[in-house]
Amino acid sequence: MLVTVTCTSTDNVYSLEVSPDIELENFKVLVQVESNSLDIPHVVFFHNGKILLGDKKTLTELGVSDNDVLIFGPAPGQASMSNAGNAPGLGQSVSSINNSRNTGGGAGGIDWGSVQLPTASSSRPAQPQQQQSRSRSDQENPESIRQMFLSDPHQMSLLKERNPKMADVINNPEEFKKILEEQRRERQDQEMARIRLLAADPFDMDAQRQIAEEIRMENVNQNMQTAMEHNPEAFAQVYMLYINCLVNGHPVKAFVDSGAQMTIMSKACAEKCNIGNLVDHRWQGVAVGVGSQKILGRVHMGQMQIENDFLPTSFTILENQPMDILLGLDMLKRHQCCIDLNKNSLLIGTTGTVTRFLNESELPECARLNKPREVQPMDEGSSSNLQEEEDRLLAEALIKSQTEAEGGGTS
């Protein structure tokens, strides 16, 4: 419906197309945004000579219909304070409207007599109100907020969990103030966007899509809160399965990965275990998965010792592999291994040997969950060169595989 709004202090007129179901509190914020009157702390609306009360009521419930005119301005208490400082306020506007009504001016027959003008005593703020305003200003002061977090370890732990960006600069007052103001502006912009969305045309498809997305995110957040309450272990990180073994007499921590097709060893581990001279470079290629890595070759048979068992295993050597050894399905199936998560151990079916999985403190550096993450800067040129190199290696591997297939060779 179309609602015409005029301001008592500026006499500007605004025509707004809003939904009849918009609540009064949202309508107030919308009018303040449209009229650039956010500096007015308390705004009231007049309709047919009466003040609209009930922020949670809709305009329809308050008796506002299509093509109605509303007058807004500061609350009567705020108006008297403005009059005490010789500034234009609601009291002066109401008084001028009453004078025009008594002289036959264009008041339109509206009964403004029900509006009670404030007395001089109301312009004197009470002491509790000063204390409340002082406490409110302290709560909005960035330095007070920062000191509150520093003095309360529990709040500090919650801040690190829920707002790590702010927790990182808690000891820097300037950066803390900057981030706090940025987050406040973001929340204010989101609230303004939400209010504009509620006041938009109900037949606007873009607005309906945004409302549907907002409802979906509310359901997602509610689902996450329910999971955190009833299934908190789902948010805990689990470390991968590693075992201790010996390769050619050298101790190595091997990653057990039943989702990998073949057993993999890094180039550095092959050199450390003194089996680099056994690499068959005829098995070069590209390993493609989440990323792509160059295959240097293959060690057809190496000696791996798990507990007291000596198991012959073949290794595919990769050039850049953070893990030393990755035990894939070829080795697990060959020795009929069974992953027992109940006992946290690996059972070798061919020999009956059981070896335990390592704890988090025993894992290598590349597999620890609490290790610091270091992000290396990469410009656009190096990123594009890396992608081009991966594409080139993949194309060469495909051409080589097709050539061998046509020539009857084995891959």
Side-chain angles (χ1 to χ4, degrees), residues 156-365:
M156 190 64 194
S157 62
L158 292 178
L159 181 66
K160 291 180 180 179
E161 177 183 353
R162 300 176 182 177
N163 197 340
K165 183 179 180 180
M166 185 176 291
D168 292 340
V169 296
I170 191 67
N171 295 320
N172 190 336
E174 295 297 330
E175 291 295 328
F176 183 85
K177 179 180 179 181
K178 180 180 178 182
I179 293 179
L180 180 62
E181 292 177 353
E182 289 178 356
Q183 294 183 356
R184 281 178 175 175
R185 285 195 299 268
E186 290 177 359
R187 286 194 296 268
Q188 186 177 7
D189 293 342
Q190 292 174 359
E191 186 66 20
M192 292 299 102
R194 187 183 69 86
I195 293 174
R196 287 194 182 96
L197 199 61
L198 293 175
D201 185 5
F203 297 101
D204 188 357
M205 296 302 298
D206 293 336
Q208 292 301 318
R209 278 193 293 268
Q210 295 179 14
I211 292 175
E213 178 62 20
E214 185 175 351
I215 294 174
R216 188 189 72 84
M217 287 306 302
E218 289 180 358
N219 294 333
V220 170
N221 293 332
Q222 183 179 2
N223 180 263
M224 185 180 69
Q225 293 177 1
T226 304
M228 293 179 66
E229 180 179 358
H230 299 284
N231 189 25
E233 61 272 10
F235 295 90
Q237 289 182 321
V238 294
Y239 49 88
M240 307 305 288
L241 305 177
Y242 278 80
I243 62 172
N244 283 322
C245 65
L246 296 174
V247 176
N248 201 21
H250 296 270
V252 179
K253 299 181 187 296
F255 172 42
V256 179
D257 186 4
S258 61
Q261 185 178 10
M262 55 189 176
T263 299
I264 294 172
M265 177 181 289
S266 66
K267 177 183 177 182
C269 181
E271 294 175 353
K272 182 179 68 174
C273 297
N274 296 327
I275 59 174
N277 57 341
L278 298 178
V279 177
D280 187 353
H281 296 287
R282 294 174 297 178
W283 293 74
Q284 291 183 359
V286 177
V288 180
V290 176
S292 60
Q293 293 190 33
K294 183 179 180 181
I295 298 177
L296 299 179
R298 180 178 180 182
V299 176
H300 298 290
M301 180 173 292
Q303 186 185 71
M304 176 183 290
Q305 180 182 354
I306 300 177
E307 299 296 339
N308 296 324
D309 296 340
F310 293 88
L311 307 175
T313 308
S314 60
F315 302 100
T316 299
I317 310 301
L318 296 185
E319 183 177 17
N320 298 317
Q321 172 66 22
M323 305 171 189
D324 289 337
I325 294 179
L326 186 148
L327 302 181
L329 274 179
D330 56 346
M331 181 270 179
L332 298 177
K333 280 191 172 184
R334 181 184 308 164
H335 301 288
Q336 301 177 10
C337 297
C338 177
I339 299 175
D340 191 346
L341 298 180
N342 185 24
K343 298 180 180 179
N344 196 35
S345 59
L346 178 68
L347 170 64
I348 301 176
T350 54
T351 61
T353 301
V354 177
T355 182
R356 68 178 182 88
F357 291 122
L358 302 182
N359 298 323
E360 183 180 359
S361 60
E362 301 173 299
L363 298 181
E365 287 296 327

Side-chain angles (χ1 to χ4, degrees), residues 402-409:
Q402 183 178 1
T403 304
E404 292 179 352
E406 293 175 355

Side-chain angles (χ1 to χ4, degrees), residues 51-119:
I51 298 179
L52 299 182
L53 301 176
D55 288 342
K56 295 299 181 180
K57 293 183 179 181
T58 63
L59 295 184
T60 303
E61 294 174 348
L62 294 173
V64 180
S65 57
D66 193 16
N67 295 322
D68 279 0
V69 178
L70 300 180
I71 301 176
F72 79 96
Q78 300 291 329
S80 66
M81 296 174 63
S82 300
N83 290 334
N86 295 326
L90 183 62
Q92 294 178 354
S93 300
V94 173
S95 177
S96 62
I97 293 175
N98 282 329
N99 292 334
S100 64
R101 179 177 62 85
N102 294 331
T103 58
I110 300 178
D111 183 14
W112 292 95
S114 59
V115 180
Q116 300 294 330
L117 293 178
T119 60

Side-chain angles (χ1 to χ4, degrees), residues 124-136:
R124 300 175 182 176
Q127 189 69 19
Q129 293 180 354
Q130 293 179 353
Q131 296 177 356
Q132 291 178 2
S133 61
R134 189 181 300 112
S135 62
R136 188 180 301 108

